[in-house]
Amino acid sequence: MAAGDPQTAPATVEVLTRDPDPAVRAAPARHPSLPQPRLTELLDDEELAYVAAANPALDSKVVRRLVTTQGQRK
C-alpha cells in the first residue's frame, strides 16, 4: 500500500524497490517520488525496465536518451 500512496517518503519508496520479489518492486518503480538515481538504475533491471521507463517522473533527458539509443546504454 505504501508504494501506491503519493505521500510515501522517497526514501521508503527506494527501499521498496530493493525487495527480492519483482512483483513488490514493480509498484514503487512507478512511484512519482522515487529518487531519480534509483529510477535510472531500474532501467537496467530486466524485470523492471519497462515499468521504470513508464514512470512519469523519469527525467526528460533520460527519456530522450532511451528514445535515441533504443534503450541501449552508451
Side-chain angles (χ1 to χ4, degrees):
M1 291 180 73
D5 182 353
Q7 300 301 317
T8 302
T12 302
V13 176
E14 183 171 351
V15 168
L16 291 171
T17 66
R18 298 180 190 283
D19 192 275
D21 184 342
V24 173
R25 291 194 316 265
R30 295 181 190 95
H31 199 282
S33 294
L34 181 60
Q36 285 294 316
R38 181 62 181 147
L39 180 53
T40 303
E41 287 174 13
L42 292 179
L43 296 172
D44 290 328
D45 183 321
E46 290 181 17
E47 296 170 318
L48 296 177
Y50 285 103
V51 176
N55 187 318
L58 190 61
D59 185 86
S60 61
K61 292 177 186 175
V62 176
V63 172
R64 278 194 289 281
R65 179 187 55 79
L66 290 172
V67 170
T68 59
T69 65
Q70 297 179 0
Q72 300 299 313
R73 289 265 182 199
K74 286 186 172 184

